[in-house]
Amino acid sequence: MAGGLTIDFGNCYTVAAYWRQDVRQAEVLYIPGVTRPIPGNAVGQAKRVYAAPSLISYGAAEAGEVLLVGQEAAEGLSGVAVERKLFSNLQADVITGKTVYSLAGRRRLSGQEIAGDYLASFISRAGQALGLAGEAAIMFTMPAAACQSEKIWQRYRRWLENAVRQAGFSRLELVEQPWAAARGAGMPLKPEAVYVVITVNADMVEAVIVRVTIPAGKENMADARCLMSGPGGCYPYSGGSGAFSQDDTSKRHLRVLSRCAEWLTGEEPGGEPTQLTAIVQQALREAERLGYPAGSLAGAVVTGSSVTPAIVAALHSLFTGIPVYDKQPLAAAACGGAALAAGEDACGYIRHSYGLRFLAVAGYQYRELVGAGMFYPSTGAVGEFTVKASYDGQQEFALFIYRLEDGGQCINEENPLILTTRLPAAKGQAVLTVSVSLDGAGQLLVTATAAGSGELLADRAVVAKLV
């Protein structure tokens, strides 16, 4: 089952992602004719990503004006007379508020209007690919420049609203791009964490340092759906009849501490990304003047379409002792946004300790499986144990999970996970080998195999929701 379209509109490429509920993960969306495969590389993009070049051209056909977007615009289409001018730098026109007019097809349009035509066409084609109805909510990432300036935020938001309406949809959701990128890159975040996002594209490099502003105890992101978040707060969105309303009642996710961006002028011979390093260091100096030294960073997230092994190596050297997250750099923001739209946490960690109860000579005792403060989703198993038969002939085994504070309290007493073996076991016989992990919603997952035969009895089965 697919659902939840998220669009990460960039100055070079636009990436769309959706949430697959059956496997509980975000997938990049392929849009026939619009996106093209970007090969994976050795710096975290394990598989190819489908992305659309952020380009548009206007053509004429017998039926009237034809818009060519993405790969269509890059290649052109037979049977369509394409204007010579190919429009690019579309996002930059919106961010800067550029009002220079150009002849686009038979019309004179501003840069923002041309960008709107591009995005509306992209939304429409993406919606068709997913089979979305007009009332479906579409999430967009808000660039760091908009997160830093209320004026840019409001202009960008209004432009998005117009593009969504033009595409025939009526519901809009927004998420800060640095927030979504951290989620998609696999970076665990706690309240008040400070981190840096470095975006490297073919034409520009940007370094933005942000601080998470979600207070402790409010880490679950399920309530972030249908929100329009902005510099003054995070606003509930009310769609329908083309109306986008807001009131100042909710929270924002992060605050931009410093941001530095420059157009790339080309690197010196030898491939050392010296311009990138200088921009990152400038952002770090600005953050340090605000009381956030580089050593306080929780991590560095790397995104963009032009991330090379040399760039990743330079960043690892620059952030010695600080984790660098370069997983799926081109698709991180889109996939992270799709996960957030599905209610997956971006800032999740377990606040209590959980474990199993077993009978020992001295009475019932507890074994901890998940400790307080553990991040989720986990990168692998967080605990393993063996289950033994309590009596001769036992074939069914129930897994009860206990919160260990206050003497132990069962949290799934009414709905335990029941594992059944093919053959009865003798008392004390090792029957099951079990490993547990955490998904993006903070749920405890169990994978169990039969001891001896290795038969898979449970594969990431949900046992309980941990908090």
Side-chain angles (χ1 to χ4, degrees):
M1 177 181 174
L5 174 63
T6 296
I7 296 176
D8 180 37
F9 169 51
N11 204 50
C12 287
Y13 285 97
T14 304
V15 181
Y18 64 98
W19 182 255
R20 284 190 57 187
Q21 188 62 32
D22 55 342
V23 294
R24 297 191 65 80
Q25 69 179 22
E27 295 280 353
V28 174
L29 178 65
Y30 169 67
I31 307 173
V34 176
T35 59
R36 71 183 185 198
I38 308 298
N41 52 40
V43 293
Q45 199 73 61
K47 60 181 180 180
R48 65 183 181 180
V49 168
Y50 291 100
S54 296
L55 302 170
I56 183 173
S57 61
Y58 294 77
E62 292 183 2
E65 185 179 75
V66 176
L67 299 183
L68 306 181
V69 299
Q71 189 61 14
E72 292 175 344
E75 296 180 350
L77 289 179
S78 60
V80 177
V82 181
E83 296 288 335
R84 290 184 178 180
K85 187 168 182 58
L86 188 67
F87 295 96
S88 59
N89 292 328
L90 305 177
Q91 187 193 59
D93 287 345
V94 181
I95 291 176
T96 61
K98 183 178 179 181
T99 56
V100 175
Y101 285 81
S102 302
L103 184 61
R106 301 185 178 94
R107 298 175 291 163
R108 292 189 65 81
L109 302 174
S110 69
Q112 294 182 55
E113 290 171 327
I114 293 171
D117 281 347
Y118 166 81
L119 189 61
S121 181
F122 184 93
I123 294 168
S124 178
R125 300 281 287 274
Q128 292 173 15
L130 274 182
L132 299 181
E135 64 272 12
I138 302 175
M139 176 175 278
F140 295 89
T141 60
M142 290 292 277
C147 299
Q148 188 180 31
S149 164
E150 182 175 359
K151 181 179 179 181
I152 297 176
W153 181 284
Q154 298 301 336
R155 178 171 60 243
Y156 204 95
R157 176 183 60 80
R158 289 192 297 269
W159 172 79
L160 282 175
E161 291 173 0
N162 291 333
V164 169
R165 292 191 188 98
Q166 185 177 334
F169 290 85
S170 60
R171 297 186 62 202
L172 172 68
E173 301 176 2
L174 304 179
V175 63
E176 298 98 324
Q177 193 273 349
W179 178 258
R183 174 62 177 83
M187 179 179 178
L189 294 172
K190 281 187 176 181
E192 306 303 321
V194 177
Y195 64 99
V196 58
V197 179
I198 300 106
T199 302
V200 185
N201 290 315
D203 55 359
M204 178 177 282
V205 61
E206 175 188 74
V208 56
I209 298 177
V210 297
R211 178 173 63 87
V212 178
T213 56
I214 292 180
K218 300 292 186 180
E219 297 84 4
N220 191 287
M221 286 301 301
D223 59 351
R225 299 195 64 185
C226 296
L227 292 180
M228 300 182 64
S229 54
C234 200
Y235 311 108
Y237 164 73
S238 175
S241 304
F244 297 83
S245 63
Q246 60 188 46
D247 58 52
D248 196 3
T249 59
S250 192
K251 61 181 181 293
R252 64 177 297 195
H253 307 142
L254 52 82
R255 173 191 169 203
V256 176
L257 300 176
S258 67
R259 174 181 173 270
C260 296
E262 288 185 8
W263 296 98
L264 287 175
T265 57
E267 299 293 352
E268 293 83 349
E272 291 295 327
T274 54
Q275 187 181 5
L276 166 69
T277 302
I279 293 170
V280 173
Q281 289 175 333
Q282 181 182 347
L284 291 174
R285 286 193 296 270
E286 291 184 7
E288 187 167 10
R289 285 196 291 269
L290 295 174
Y292 300 94
S296 67
L297 295 179
V301 178
V302 186
T303 69
S305 60
S306 300
V307 179
T308 65
I311 287 174
V312 172
L315 292 175
H316 276 278
S317 298
L318 184 61
F319 295 106
T320 303
I322 297 174
V324 176
Y325 299 89
D326 51 41
K327 176 184 175 183
Q328 56 178 13
L330 181 54
C335 289
L340 293 170
E344 299 289 297
D345 292 350
C347 197
Y349 67 98
I350 304 301
R351 296 187 293 279
H352 302 281
S353 296
Y354 296 88
L356 300 170
R357 188 177 73 168
F358 62 95
L359 184 61
V361 176
Y364 283 111
Q365 296 185 10
Y366 297 89
R367 174 186 170 180
E368 182 178 280
L369 290 177
V370 178
M374 184 174 292
F375 287 110
Y376 59 84
S378 61
T379 56
V382 298
E384 296 181 350
F385 58 93
T386 299
V387 176
K388 298 180 179 180
S390 300
Y391 55 87
D392 290 336
Q394 186 175 2
Q395 287 183 264
E396 290 189 345
F397 301 84
L399 293 185
F400 293 98
I401 305 300
Y402 292 82
R403 193 169 72 186
L404 301 185
E405 292 90 345
D406 303 323
Q409 178 183 356
C410 185
I411 64 172
N412 65 334
E413 185 175 4
E414 296 182 356
N415 189 30
L417 177 64
I418 306 295
L419 300 174
T420 304
T421 59
R422 291 182 179 272
L423 300 174
K427 181 179 179 180
Q429 177 184 347
V431 180
L432 304 173
T433 301
V434 180
S435 66
V436 295
S437 59
L438 296 169
D439 69 6
Q443 297 179 119
L444 187 67
L445 308 179
V446 160
T447 298
T449 57
S453 69
E455 178 187 0
L456 184 64
L457 302 179
D459 185 12
R460 292 175 58 83
V462 176
V463 181
K465 173 70 172 75
L466 309 187
V467 295

